[in-house]
Amino acid sequence: MGLLLLVLVLLLPGGSGLPFYNGFYYSNGRNPGNGHGEGLFNGVKLVVETPEETLFTYRGASVTLPCRYHYEPALVSPRPVRVKWWKLLENGAPEQDVLVAIGLKHRSFGAYRGRVHLRRDKERDVSLEIRDLRREDYGRYRCEVIDGLEDESGLVELELRGVVFPYQPRQGRYQLNFHEAQQACKEQDAVVASFEQLFRAWEEGLDWCNAGWLQDASVQYPITLPRQPCGGLGLAPGVRSYGPRHRRLHRYDVFCFAAALRGRVYYLEHPEKLTLAEATEACREDGAQIAKVGQLFAAWKFRGLDRCDAGWLADGSVRYPVAHPRPNCGPPEAGVRSFGFPDPQTSYGVYCYRQR
């Protein structure tokens, strides 16, 4: 951060002695270079515009987070501004810097370095373009425009197309504290789902009686068909909540969120059934890797993967995806069926994942 501030000072005329506020050095409200001496914010309002609706996109894609600004009443001459984008994090964690810019100079940070830039397609357009989207990129972003000692900002919400799925480890039901739940989802090429993602999944029909962690460290579960073992018949359908829980001491399952895939999941045609170790090696010999649970759910949800053959996955579970329910292929609803975690020496097929 110290290097960033030094760079910003060097970019500004007369850097030494300038007041520091909100991550930038300022020029005491002076108006260098426009030649009109307009009294900024003497009856002039800075307005930042961002979309109210959530933006939806896919992992691996590029997306633009719109942000424009203007003045009321309009100013004739352009003014130098500073622009700052950051991502708001859950659970009261500090915001994550994404990009700062002064004029044509900009700097990006952390995992965003080299993947973000300002579009500037039109005058006073400071929209942020993110390339090669990753599953952790979804969330709320703030666009701040700073002119002198005045600043205004707007929020943009980015959501990846994905699928929510409940997950429990080999050890069984309610074995994960919050930190272990985060790791479990990560190992399945997913992240812990947010409440908004779980609620949207419930609206689409997700019904699950086991409570699971969410991104805000609350524990909830979605019910579309009320029944006695799942909160009773007297409660209306909805997302039931246990509220926030202790992240280390309390243990539940977890709801994971897997974004749409760039690669391909497929059932490996093999002359024989395979143990877990043989299945892992067979995928490798086919130029792929054994698929993870999140990848199988995403392939079922977005690619319509439909196969009535049970196959190994990387976590040692055995599952199969059904997009078109039919006789002798499990329950009458579409979904990913699970055989649980059989003995690794048992023989099944295997689902592989090949990245594009």
Side-chain angles (χ1 to χ4, degrees):
M1 189 64 181
L3 178 60
L4 167 61
L5 296 180
L6 177 60
V7 171
L8 293 176
V9 171
L10 293 176
L11 289 173
L12 292 170
S16 61
L18 296 180
F20 177 74
Y21 169 71
N22 202 22
F24 291 94
Y25 282 90
Y26 290 89
S27 57
N28 291 310
R30 298 187 183 92
N31 187 13
N34 70 10
H36 293 272
E38 294 170 295
L40 184 63
F41 306 115
N42 184 13
V44 178
K45 182 181 180 183
L46 172 63
V47 179
V48 172
E49 299 175 300
T50 52
E52 293 184 2
E53 65 275 9
T54 300
L55 304 180
F56 288 89
T57 186
Y58 293 90
R59 185 165 63 174
S62 295
V63 67
T64 298
L65 310 186
C67 183
R68 298 196 66 195
Y69 69 96
H70 66 273
Y71 299 95
E72 296 177 356
L75 298 179
V76 175
S77 301
R79 291 185 56 86
V81 298
R82 292 85 166 165
V83 177
K84 181 178 181 180
W85 278 91
W86 69 81
K87 184 183 179 187
L88 305 181
L89 302 180
E90 301 288 339
N91 307 322
E95 66 270 7
Q96 181 179 3
D97 289 335
V98 176
L99 177 144
V100 294
I102 300 179
L104 297 178
K105 304 285 187 178
H106 75 274
R107 181 177 177 182
S108 52
F109 299 90
Y112 293 96
R113 188 173 289 117
R115 295 196 297 127
V116 295
H117 71 274
L118 296 185
R119 288 196 60 171
R120 300 185 185 274
D121 287 348
K122 300 177 182 177
E123 185 180 5
R124 294 172 180 164
D125 183 359
V126 290
S127 301
L128 181 75
E129 181 172 343
I130 309 177
R131 298 187 299 273
D132 189 23
L133 277 163
R134 302 171 183 176
R135 63 175 181 265
E136 59 270 20
D137 288 340
Y138 78 87
R140 292 183 301 156
Y141 291 79
R142 185 176 294 279
C143 169
E144 183 176 28
V145 178
I146 305 158
D147 189 327
L149 295 177
E150 295 292 331
D151 64 271
E152 292 293 336
S153 64
L155 288 175
V156 182
E157 185 156 359
L158 177 65
E159 188 69 81
L160 297 185
R161 296 284 184 187
V163 57
V164 173
F165 62 95
Y167 187 79
Q168 59 181 229
R170 175 182 292 274
Q171 292 82 357
R173 182 173 182 258
Y174 293 176
Q175 296 296 314
L176 302 170
N177 66 28
F178 180 72
H179 305 293
E180 292 165 345
Q182 289 178 308
Q183 182 62 29
C185 288
K186 182 178 180 180
E187 289 173 357
Q188 303 316 314
D189 199 23
V191 294
V192 179
S194 67
F195 171 79
E196 292 77 13
Q197 290 165 343
L198 181 64
F199 186 83
R200 191 174 299 117
W202 168 76
E203 290 182 314
E204 295 174 354
L206 181 61
D207 182 279
W208 196 256
C209 202
N210 290 347
W213 291 104
L214 294 181
Q215 189 182 87
D216 61 358
S218 67
V219 173
Q220 312 197 33
Y221 63 101
I223 295 296
T224 59
L225 180 64
R227 50 202 184 272
Q228 196 60 46
C230 302
L233 296 171
L235 294 177
V239 177
R240 313 278 171 81
S241 177
Y242 288 2
R245 287 294 188 247
H246 195 287
R247 299 181 185 212
R248 183 172 54 84
L249 298 180
H250 291 146
R251 295 183 176 274
Y252 295 93
D253 294 344
V254 61
F255 289 99
C256 302
F257 174 84
L261 293 171
R262 297 182 67 182
R264 171 176 170 254
V265 174
Y266 60 97
Y267 182 82
L268 181 65
E269 299 294 346
H270 197 275
E272 298 177 350
K273 299 298 184 181
L274 306 165
T275 66
L276 177 58
E278 291 168 342
T280 302
E281 179 62 18
C283 286
R284 190 190 67 80
E285 291 176 352
D286 202 50
Q289 60 189 28
I290 188 169
K292 300 178 180 181
V293 176
Q295 293 166 346
L296 185 67
F297 268 93
W300 163 76
K301 176 76 172 180
F302 297 104
R303 303 286 174 80
L305 184 61
D306 183 272
R307 187 86 189 205
C308 207
D309 298 287
W312 288 109
L313 295 178
D315 68 337
S317 65
V318 171
R319 306 173 193 248
Y320 65 99
V322 176
H324 307 288
R326 51 201 181 273
N328 303 318
C329 200
E333 301 85 16
V336 175
R337 324 287 195 218
S338 176
F339 281 24
F341 294 85
D343 186 314
Q345 297 304 313
T346 311
S347 296
Y348 290 97
V350 61
Y351 287 92
C352 303
Y353 172 71
R354 181 179 292 125
Q355 192 164 0
R356 290 178 179 171

